[in-house]
Amino acid sequence: GGQNWVQQSTPTPNAFIKSIFFIDSQTGWTAGTSGLVFKTINGGTTWTSQSAGSTTYSSVFFTSVNDGWIVGTNQIRRTTDGGSNWITQSVPNNGSLEKVYFTDALNGYIIGSSQVLKTTDGGNNWIAVSTNAINWRGIDFSPSSIGYLCGNSAINKTIDGGASWTNVASVVNGNINDIKFINDTTGIICQNGYIKKTINSGSAWSNNLIESNINFDETFVVSPTKIIVVGSRISDATAVIYTFSDCNGAPTISSITGLSTSTFSPPCAGTTFTLSAGSTSDTFVWTLPGDWSITSGLTTNTITGAYGQTAGTVSVMATNSCNISTSYSSNIVTPTIGLPTAPTAINPTNTPNC
């Protein structure tokens, strides 16, 4: 994975985009130079401008569709209406603020030049947390609450909610601008020209050169198979957005298991089944005869349900972030309706001679 990067159109080509954040698959924001904040409500297809002053903002983060923060040099701003209005908050220490990040609605971090700030009251107040004297650029927490900081060529790790941080041995050369983890072992970092991936919690990283003329500033994980990275092209000062889909084309389905299609031993109407499609993907679409039922797993590769009385085929399609599969269909299934006819009594017509 990590090879299928596609460049997208940007909300404003003649400005640097420093940060991107999506609260769901459709609603997101970017922040950058000259106070530029843009919002999308259709997954990034189109963007609308929001007013946030003239400061260069290096990071944007939302905890809901209404509550968000942007940070820059000596600047923290907060919105409670989805970005329509931004209010200024006090900064504990002067200096460059590079990233804002929340683990939940109450607990969050702002990192920057030799400092980490933390809030435990939903961003109303920020206090300084001691760390190494590094220009911190990126922060993220894995699903099991393991935290990572990156800056310069260093990566630090916490397992106690940010109370203490330790250095992670790394073979990464050059400044690291951002870090994101998809799960406890798989993560992404972005650098100038490079987007790199680890599958062993940061012990080793792929060396994936995208374009040497680009400063990649931030990466955002939309889903386990969709990642967006933003930055700026150095030669002509234009913004760039790259989207990565971790798949190799459309999924394929080769079988449906658990279905009784035998004409010698047909299923009985009303009995239950568990069916599985021979594929792993994001979403599945099952089609069954009209009076059959699905009780669980409707959009997954394994469903449970009950046979009806109608004969017919079972079909399934799978979709991932790349495409949709062709439909796979079973043989015709003809359920048995009701109990078999009880045998009649045997009445011999002739009495044998003994």
Side-chain angles (χ1 to χ4, degrees):
Q3 306 299 322
N4 304 318
W5 292 97
V6 178
Q7 187 173 350
Q8 291 188 294
S9 61
T10 59
T12 175
N14 298 317
F16 288 159
I17 297 175
K18 308 293 288 185
S19 179
I20 189 168
F21 184 86
F22 276 74
I23 194 67
D24 55 42
S25 63
Q26 298 300 310
T27 309
W29 294 261
T30 68
T33 57
S34 303
L36 293 175
V37 177
F38 287 85
K39 181 179 181 179
T40 179
I41 57 173
N42 54 17
T45 302
T46 59
W47 300 82
T48 56
S49 176
Q50 296 183 320
S51 177
S54 59
T55 299
T56 292
Y57 295 109
S58 56
S59 181
V60 57
F61 195 100
F62 277 72
T63 57
S64 70
V65 293
N66 292 317
D67 298 296
W69 287 260
I70 49 179
V71 299
T73 301
N74 299 327
Q75 184 96 208
I76 303 174
R77 285 201 174 195
R78 180 179 185 177
T79 181
T80 57
D81 56 13
S84 296
N85 297 281
W86 297 89
I87 58 174
T88 301
Q89 293 187 294
S90 61
V91 181
N93 300 315
N94 290 333
S96 174
L97 301 178
E98 297 290 344
K99 287 290 189 302
V100 56
Y101 178 90
F102 278 75
T103 57
D104 53 45
L106 294 177
N107 297 283
Y109 299 84
I110 294 175
I111 63 172
S113 180
S114 302
Q115 63 178 321
V116 175
L117 309 178
K118 184 176 180 179
T119 180
T120 57
D121 60 5
N124 294 316
N125 298 281
W126 297 89
I127 59 173
V129 177
S130 177
T131 63
N132 297 333
I134 290 174
N135 182 25
W136 299 112
R137 300 292 305 276
I139 183 170
D140 193 40
F141 280 74
S142 74
S144 62
S145 298
I146 300 173
Y148 294 87
L149 278 173
C150 71
N152 299 350
S153 59
I155 298 175
N156 275 201
K157 180 178 180 179
T158 181
I159 58 174
D160 56 12
S164 62
W165 299 82
T166 57
N167 186 59
V168 177
S170 175
V171 295
V172 176
N173 296 318
N175 290 334
I176 306 170
N177 296 330
D178 195 24
I179 186 168
K180 288 293 187 297
F181 270 77
I182 301 168
N183 52 45
D184 288 343
T185 58
T186 304
I188 298 288
I189 60 172
C190 61
Q191 298 178 280
N192 293 348
Y194 289 87
I195 302 171
K196 298 180 180 180
K197 180 179 179 180
T198 181
I199 57 174
N200 54 15
S201 302
S203 297
W205 297 84
S206 66
N207 195 33
N208 190 12
L209 175 65
I210 302 300
E211 184 178 337
S212 60
N213 192 38
I214 294 178
N215 288 332
F216 288 112
D217 287 307
E218 186 166 88
T219 179
F220 186 81
V221 178
V222 179
S223 72
T225 58
K226 184 177 181 180
I227 301 167
I228 297 177
V229 179
V230 298
S232 305
R233 185 168 283 108
I234 301 169
S235 60
D236 54 9
T238 56
V240 292
I241 299 177
Y242 272 78
T243 299
F244 162 64
S245 297
D246 194 5
C247 56
N248 295 312
T252 59
I253 300 176
S254 59
S255 64
I256 298 176
T257 59
L259 192 63
S260 179
T261 59
S262 171
T263 56
F264 299 101
S265 181
C268 294
T271 58
T272 59
F273 58 71
T274 298
L275 310 182
S276 294
S279 175
T280 57
S281 194
D282 295 340
T283 305
F284 291 79
V285 179
W286 293 83
T287 303
L288 281 65
D291 60 347
W292 296 26
S293 64
I294 299 177
T295 56
S296 66
L298 180 62
T299 60
T300 70
N301 70 335
T302 300
I303 60 171
T304 59
Y307 294 101
Q309 298 182 7
T310 305
T313 62
V314 174
S315 63
V316 60
M317 293 188 299
T319 63
N320 60 20
S321 57
C322 288
N323 215 323
I324 187 169
S325 71
T326 56
S327 179
Y328 179 88
S329 297
S330 70
N331 295 327
I332 294 177
V333 180
T334 306
T336 298
I337 302 172
L339 296 174
T341 304
T344 57
I346 299 175
N347 296 314
T349 55
N350 297 312
T351 300
N353 295 320
C354 297

